Amino acid sequence: MAECLAHVVLGTITLLSWLGLGSIVLIRGPHVGDPVLELLNRLGIGAISFALLTFGAGWAGWLYPAAYLPVFAATALVGASRFAGWARAAP
């Protein structure tokens, strides 16, 4: 049961990290009036951005946990703060 819970927590942190990186990439981008579509846009852009960053870092030989984990944690914190703001604004 603990392993299952650990996978759920890791998945949640990954989702927040995608949201955080997507929010950073789209900070000056177009804003859509629908909050659900805005969330999906930021999640999608964040997932694609992480995939491209991971690919580029691996190709260049820079993919090390010491470099990847701080970026992952920082973007997850940005995503958590962004999600908290959306949760407060929800009816």
Side-chain angles (χ1 to χ4, degrees):
M1 183 66 172
E3 184 179 347
C4 181
L5 184 60
H7 281 98
V8 170
V9 169
L10 182 60
T12 304
I13 293 170
T14 301
L15 196 64
L16 288 174
S17 185
W18 289 349
L19 177 62
L21 187 59
S23 296
I24 292 169
V25 170
L26 293 177
I27 198 162
R28 294 180 153 247
H31 295 285
V32 183
D34 186 16
V36 175
L37 187 57
E38 185 79 26
L39 177 69
L40 290 174
N41 283 340
R42 293 181 187 277
L43 281 174
I45 292 295
I48 290 170
S49 298
F50 254 113
L52 291 174
L53 285 173
T54 304
F55 173 73
W59 196 5
W62 300 336
L63 192 57
Y64 299 106
Y68 186 79
L69 290 178
V71 172
F72 186 73
T75 55
L77 287 174
V78 171
S81 68
R82 191 71 166 171
F83 186 76
W86 277 329
R88 275 186 249 126

